[in-house]
Amino acid sequence: MNHSAVETASVLPALVIFVPTATAVLIFAFGRFVSWLREALAFVGVTCALILSVIIGYKTLHGEILTSFETQLYADSLSALLINMVSLVSFVAVVYSLKYMWHQVKEGGLPHTTTSGRLTAFYGWLMLFISTMIWACLSNNIIMLYVAVEASTIASGLLVAFYWDKRALEAGYKYLMLLTVGITFSLFGCVLLYATGSNLPGVGGAKGLLISELKLHASSFPITTIILASAFLIIGFGTKAGVAPFHPWLPDAHAEAPTPVSALLSGVMIKVAMYALVRTVTIFYPTFSPVAMFALGLGVFTLVIGDLMALAQDDLKRMLAYSSVSQIGYILMGFGIGTQLGIYAGLFHMVNHAIAKALLFLAAGAVIYSTGVRNISQLGGLAKKMPITSFCFFIGALAVSGMPPLNGFHSKLALFVAGADAGNWWAVGFGIAASLVTLVVLLKAAKNIFWGKESEAVANTSVREAPLTVVISMLILAILCLGVGLYPKAVYPPIKEAASYVQTINTSNKKVAVAENPKVGKPNDRSSKKILKIEF
């Protein structure tokens, strides 16, 4: 298969970052004075970001690479897939927040605060969080990639501590400290890549900062630099992605944050960090394949640890958080397999998990909204009073577990086929076993929450279905889980295109595809069109 992509200067990559950032500034400036303005601005801002992301996705799918500020911002099909995923889940989270956060702040009795002030802070930081995630996905400057990922940590850290009680403050402190220290390792890796790349013939100066240039000359890097830089990048971005054993911040942060923020943290933020890891580390796959094998081992370790920890949880949101650790292991497993099919499967599962896990967190939030209870053991018989939430939770649980006919089935099947095709049967065995554990964990939780005898908390006459915006948000994601599951071909083209921009390992049978520029190893002519050639 052959395809070509043409670089086109465009304002769209800059605009999709600017819109939510400007919205955040307006919310901070005027949100306190007009009660409905902050919600309206957040809705308009995230809707515009979603529309711009779709336009960028359409253009990249039809052979364009959009660039802004020369090539500092770089939207290829891989970046476009990520910003669409971020914008979609963000849109749903903002719609969910409209009633949910009002209830949490006004009725929740937050200490030392006013409703207007807290909601203004929430929507302002939420929009900054969204804009920094989009910025990270579009950054072609390796140092700015680190800065964007770190900026998303600061914005989301304040949201994690939003409730301002002992548990939230402890989770926020732990989140900021562990992630800041962890991500510092990625800065070491980025600086090492720049220092080495800028001294290579044909690179030099500011060009050494561009990931697109480093990718073209990765084969000229010394092996010791590759090993050191890969280790730093995997530890740094892997910490933010929740890869074991760097994940201890994740359960507390995802559990204590407001539910819409939990959906964003688990649904897309850890995927953005995984994207940063993949964007940087995989440039060495064709030259030094042991990097891929290390990633595969780490991915399998992560998926096992996450599932075992999820088994022991009674707190609903902590259980879902540990499940996210497990699923990020599956995604890393796909990238660790390193073949074209493995990369494709990893991206496919990244998209599916973003939708399904966001759905599960939103459903958990609806349960907490109506009952005020988070512990699974204190719930039961909720299906009669909250049938839509019950339906959505089961859809999410089955999707994450990889059950047909839902979306997670197709991506997990692709992962196992990719692993078997590459001869990594041990990884496939662990993956299937962990998937069965995921099924047990999530269905057991669903049964205890929604079936059986009504618990004391559920028997309260005030327990009923959550408000309309909360229900609509859940239904959008549930329909997507079902839709992609029943007609997976709808998402094949963008994922296939995105996968073609990730370097793959070289294999002896030459069946895998390697995305490469014909000028690899030679000085790059910036004025020429970048031709991406894929050969089978």
Side-chain angles (χ1 to χ4, degrees), residues 70-123:
E70 295 188 345
T71 53
Q72 295 293 313
L73 297 178
Y74 194 85
D76 58 16
S77 292
L78 180 58
S79 299
L81 180 70
L82 265 292
I83 65 170
N84 273 279
M85 186 179 76
V86 170
S87 298
L88 174 64
V89 177
S90 298
F91 173 80
V92 173
V94 168
V95 173
Y96 185 93
S97 301
L98 297 177
K99 284 288 185 184
Y100 185 89
M101 289 310 299
W102 180 265
H103 173 82
Q104 292 290 297
V105 173
K106 191 172 178 60
E107 307 295 335
L110 293 180
H112 312 298
T113 188
T114 63
T115 303
S116 176
R118 294 302 288 165
L119 285 177
T120 300
F122 174 80
Y123 285 108

Side-chain angles (χ1 to χ4, degrees), residues 474-509:
M474 292 188 294
L475 285 175
I476 290 172
L477 296 176
I479 290 169
L480 284 173
C481 287
L482 275 168
V484 174
L486 294 172
Y487 191 68
K489 287 183 179 180
V491 296
Y492 285 169
I495 295 174
K496 189 177 179 182
E497 277 292 310
S500 71
Y501 283 86
V502 181
Q503 300 283 68
T504 61
I505 60 172
N506 285 318
T507 58
S508 57
N509 58 13

Side-chain angles (χ1 to χ4, degrees), residues 161-184:
F162 179 80
Y163 287 130
W164 217 249
D165 56 15
K166 183 181 177 182
R167 292 197 311 184
L169 288 173
E170 183 181 340
Y173 175 77
K174 192 174 178 181
Y175 175 81
L176 289 172
M177 287 299 295
L178 291 181
L179 283 189
T180 301
V181 172
I183 295 172
T184 301

Side-chain angles (χ1 to χ4, degrees), residues 5-192:
V6 181
E7 286 186 6
T8 305
S10 171
V11 71
L12 289 174
L15 201 57
V16 74
I17 300 170
F18 173 77
V19 168
T21 305
T23 304
V25 173
L26 291 174
I27 290 172
F28 281 124
F30 303 109
R32 287 174 179 269
F33 305 114
V34 185
S35 60
W36 53 268
L37 188 61
R38 52 184 171 259
E39 286 89 350
L41 284 170
F43 181 77
V44 171
V46 78
T47 303
C48 290
L50 178 59
I51 293 170
L52 290 169
S53 298
V54 171
I55 295 172
I56 292 172
Y58 176 83
K59 286 181 174 290
T60 57
L61 197 57
H62 289 79
E64 290 187 65
I65 295 175
L66 305 181
T67 62
S68 294
F69 304 113
E70 295 188 345
T71 53
Q72 295 293 313
L73 297 178
Y74 194 85
D76 58 16
S77 292
L78 180 58
S79 299
L81 180 70
L82 265 292
I83 65 170
N84 273 279
M85 186 179 76
V86 170
S87 298
L88 174 64
V89 177
S90 298
F91 173 80
V92 173
V94 168
V95 173
Y96 185 93
S97 301
L98 297 177
K99 284 288 185 184
Y100 185 89
M101 289 310 299
W102 180 265
H103 173 82
Q104 292 290 297
V105 173
K106 191 172 178 60
E107 307 295 335
L110 293 180
H112 312 298
T113 188
T114 63
T115 303
S116 176
R118 294 302 288 165
L119 285 177
T120 300
F122 174 80
Y123 285 108
W125 286 112
L126 185 68
M127 296 310 293
L128 284 178
F129 181 32
I130 294 167
S131 69
T132 52
M133 285 193 289
I134 294 174
W135 178 23
C137 296
L138 292 171
S139 179
N140 191 34
N141 183 310
I142 196 164
I143 301 299
M144 286 298 106
L145 173 63
Y146 158 77
V147 172
V149 172
E150 183 67 2
S152 73
T153 301
I154 295 170
S156 54
L158 294 170
L159 290 169
V160 168
F162 179 80
Y163 287 130
W164 217 249
D165 56 15
K166 183 181 177 182
R167 292 197 311 184
L169 288 173
E170 183 181 340
Y173 175 77
K174 192 174 178 181
Y175 175 81
L176 289 172
M177 287 299 295
L178 291 181
L179 283 189
T180 301
V181 172
I183 295 172
T184 301
F185 282 91
S186 66
L187 177 62
F188 296 154
C190 292
V191 171
L192 189 57

Side-chain angles (χ1 to χ4, degrees), residues 92 123 302 318-319 416 505 513:
V92 173
Y123 285 108
T302 301
R318 285 183 71 86
M319 183 271 287
F416 299 149
I505 60 172

